[in-house]
Amino acid sequence: MVSNASMLDVKLHLLSQELIPNINDLDNEPKQVVLNHVNTCTECQRLYSRVVDFKENFPESSIAEDVQTKPLKKLVQFNKGLKLLLVAVRFIILFYIIFTSIDFYVWESSPMAAIQYIQSGIFLFYLPAIIFLLVFTATFFNRRWFWFSLATDTMVILFFVYVLKLFTSL
């Protein structure tokens, strides 16, 4: 029958083998228990010396915390691509609205109908699209880009709603 002390030694031996590679991360008391076992066990002494040799030959790289790493080039390109896509979607919607109003309405005979068509197109197509795009911008981009997009979209809406009326009344 195996004695209780022998069973504890086996458990201590197994635990020490598990903890030796991470000995520097241990608290003082468990570290001292493992080191005491290492002093009495030849197998654990060999493992400990290999771990120490490895750590001496391949020290951990010390990166200064205050040094900022440059963002990944592909991530920056992806970010620029998304911004370009957001602008392109806005222009495509505006182009569609303006093109269809020019194509379907005779501006000389009924300019107010064409203006009303553009205004309704702004509210039916452009407004929901920019709400989605502004939520997307607020989620994935910085505040400066969000406020720039919001100001630009507001000016576009105001231009198509109010300024076009001024041109037709002249």
Side-chain angles (χ1 to χ4, degrees), residues 87 90 134 137 142-155:
V87 171
R90 286 174 168 92
L134 286 173
T137 302
N142 58 22
R143 288 184 183 177
R144 185 174 56 100
W145 184 257
F146 171 77
W147 288 111
F148 174 75
S149 297
L150 182 64
T152 304
D153 290 329
T154 304
M155 287 189 304

Side-chain angles (χ1 to χ4, degrees), residues 93-118 120-121 125:
I93 292 172
L94 288 174
F95 176 76
Y96 172 76
I97 293 168
I98 293 170
F99 177 75
T100 55
S101 71
I102 291 171
D103 194 37
F104 292 128
Y105 290 98
V106 179
W107 282 79
E108 292 80 28
S109 64
S110 62
M112 281 310 292
I115 297 292
Q116 289 174 350
Y117 177 81
I118 290 175
S120 63
F125 297 112

